[in-house]
Amino acid sequence: KCIAVRNSVLDLHGVPRKNWVRLGATAYWGNSSITLDEPVDWEPGYEITLGSTEFDMRQTEELTVDYVSPDGLTVHLTRELHYTHFGGGWTSDDGVYNVHEYSAPVGLLTRNVVVQGDDENTNKEQFGAQIVLTNSIGDLDNKILTESNRIIGRFSNIEVRRAGQGLKLGKYPIHFHMVGSVPWSYVKNCTVHHLFNRAIAVHGVNDLRVHGNVVHDTRGHAIFLEDGTE
């Protein structure tokens, strides 16, 4: 279950969509709609994730869009919320301080280009898909490539799900491995979810752009700098 790339270029691109916003107002349990701080272009049937604002990560909810208001700021859902999620930020009693970030994140899960593990065995065996871009100096060598852009991976607006392989070293959903400087490569505005081993691994890599991605339901670090020197 692997898309493996050496000395090549891999381009995967989906339709651009608003990928990530915050709640514009608190959404209370029992509500069947949420108000956002920025307009979205989501369609009926899209799946989204609404983050917990408590200390319990299990209050994160997976939801399905029923329809979106014409201004894009209100998302109507196919079911009621099970938990309350704070939104609109926090303001001190005297009005001096405002923390906009104290609002639940809302991320888009559904994209039109999908890389995924199979339905039958992936969950049972924790053996999901992976995209790996790796060096090719030699089978017995593991040195970082010294020539820039020897390998190019460009991913935008795609969905990677049921991915990564549990308890297996180096088996990550999106993995740039020992490829050196790759300023022509990027992972942006993608959704990576329902994972068994991290999400985006960056190992022995410089100049890779990782921006605006949504990671949901993963085991281990989400965006992982393997040696810490990247």
Side-chain angles (χ1 to χ4, degrees):
K1 296 181 182 179
C2 179
I3 298 176
V5 182
R6 282 185 169 181
N7 293 327
S8 302
V9 177
L10 178 60
D11 275 296
L12 295 172
H13 304 282
V15 173
R17 296 282 184 184
K18 189 69 174 178
N19 205 36
W20 187 88
V21 293
R22 293 184 183 274
L23 284 183
T26 295
Y28 295 94
W29 71 271
N31 287 0
S32 59
S33 65
I34 56 176
T35 300
L36 308 178
D37 66 344
E38 297 180 57
V40 296
D41 52 359
W42 302 340
E43 298 184 1
Y46 278 16
E47 294 183 348
I48 62 175
T49 175
L50 174 58
S52 171
T53 49
E54 296 290 349
F55 292 104
D56 187 352
M57 65 180 183
R58 293 171 295 183
Q59 291 191 18
T60 294
E61 302 194 53
E62 295 176 15
L63 304 162
T64 302
V65 174
D66 187 12
Y67 65 96
V68 177
S69 63
D71 63 5
L73 291 173
T74 302
V75 177
H76 297 265
L77 309 168
T78 59
R79 69 163 176 87
E80 297 178 351
L81 297 177
H82 295 160
Y83 304 100
T84 293
H85 303 261
F86 295 111
W90 172 84
T91 303
S92 61
D93 292 339
D94 58 9
V96 174
Y97 301 102
N98 179 268
V99 182
H100 173 69
E101 290 77 9
Y102 192 64
S103 302
V106 187
L108 177 64
L109 299 180
T110 301
R111 311 310 294 258
N112 70 311
V113 174
V114 180
V115 177
Q116 66 179 18
D118 68 285
D119 291 328
E120 184 175 354
N121 296 312
T122 293
N123 291 335
K124 179 174 63 176
E125 300 177 1
Q126 299 184 40
F127 193 79
Q130 57 174 324
I131 302 172
V132 57
L133 301 97
T134 185
N135 63 3
S136 57
I137 295 174
D139 293 335
L140 301 179
D141 208 339
N142 199 29
K143 295 179 180 177
I144 298 175
L145 295 179
T146 57
E147 180 184 341
S148 295
N149 297 307
R150 272 275 296 278
I151 197 167
I152 299 173
R154 294 181 294 230
F155 312 127
S156 67
N157 301 291
I158 69 168
E159 178 181 355
V160 180
R161 66 190 183 203
R162 297 198 296 271
Q165 298 173 6
L167 306 177
K168 295 183 183 296
L169 182 65
K171 306 299 184 181
Y172 311 126
I174 300 176
H175 186 189
F176 283 77
H177 178 76
M178 308 290 279
V179 293
S181 178
V182 288
W184 296 352
S185 296
Y186 53 78
V187 183
K188 60 183 183 181
N189 300 324
C190 296
T191 296
V192 195
H193 65 97
H194 292 93
L195 314 167
F196 303 103
N197 197 359
R198 315 191 192 281
I200 302 170
V202 181
H203 181 201
V205 177
N206 293 317
D207 307 311
L208 173 68
R209 288 171 290 165
V210 180
H211 175 72
N213 301 288
V214 170
V215 176
H216 169 71
D217 193 2
T218 182
R219 298 177 184 177
H221 299 83
I223 299 175
F224 176 50
L225 304 181
E226 188 159 342
D227 285 337
T229 58
E230 289 82 5

